[in-house]
Amino acid sequence: MRAAKRSAGLLLVRGAGDTTEVLLGHMGGPFFAGRESGAWTVPKGEYGPDETAWDAARREFTEELGLPPPEGPVRPLGEVTQRNGKIVTVWAVEADLDTAAFAPGTFTMEWPRGSGRMREFPELDRVAWLGLDRARELLVTAQAAFLDRLGEPSAEGP
């Protein structure tokens, strides 16, 4: 049996109470084109046994947004298991990032399938600050648990 893939990410948070917003990314590529619900994610990516989840979360933030991860108070939000079996670990970081310089990383895949043509797509095709209610509507279902955990007391740091 194969081990589950693991992914780690940073959920940027700004504001408080009714004005709380989180920074999410819309997944790029042909599978998510034209979709909104379930097509948004915490900026994250896979990592292997030679890297810590915290280091991977920071690296992936830079790869997916083309921006360095901001400094700010950090809170672990724990793990969720997505429907595809991937285990996702996330930290909340309090920061107000200007997304004007967003420059996503890319991935290559055969498209259309079976065509033999390789095409490049952005990992995230856009990012946005969203209120918690709207974020919950758009996020990959399992990741909504991270929004719930924002209101819970927890330990500090990675």
Side-chain angles (χ1 to χ4, degrees):
M1 181 177 199
R2 282 189 349 201
K5 290 185 179 182
R6 299 190 69 87
S7 204
L10 301 179
L11 178 63
L12 270 53
V13 182
R14 69 180 183 187
D18 291 344
T19 64
T20 300
E21 293 181 310
V22 292
L23 184 70
L24 299 179
H26 183 271
M27 292 181 272
F31 299 124
F32 299 100
R35 283 185 50 199
E36 288 295 309
S37 181
W40 289 76
T41 183
V42 171
K44 61 170 183 45
E46 291 182 10
Y47 66 99
D50 58 336
E51 186 176 28
T52 68
W54 173 247
D55 288 341
R58 294 179 53 78
R59 174 185 52 75
E60 284 291 337
F61 187 92
T62 300
E63 287 179 12
E64 294 212 347
L65 277 74
L67 301 167
E71 299 299 324
V74 175
R75 254 185 66 190
L77 296 179
E79 296 180 343
V80 298
T81 302
Q82 296 184 159
R83 188 175 20 213
N84 63 5
K86 184 182 288 184
I87 299 168
V88 180
T89 305
V90 167
W91 287 266
V93 179
E94 291 180 35
D96 187 3
L97 183 74
D98 179 1
T99 60
F102 167 63
T106 60
F107 68 95
T108 303
M109 66 181 279
E110 181 184 27
W111 191 257
R113 281 189 180 168
S115 68
R117 286 182 280 166
M118 299 303 287
R119 294 195 41 207
E120 193 170 277
F121 298 96
E123 292 199 38
L124 299 175
D125 56 23
R126 62 190 187 274
V127 294
W129 285 101
L130 302 168
L132 296 180
D133 289 341
R134 184 67 175 144
R136 190 176 308 284
E137 293 171 5
L138 299 177
L139 258 174
V140 170
T141 304
Q143 292 181 28
F146 297 129
L147 302 180
D148 298 336
R149 295 174 190 167
L150 286 174
E152 299 173 358
S154 77
E156 294 292 318

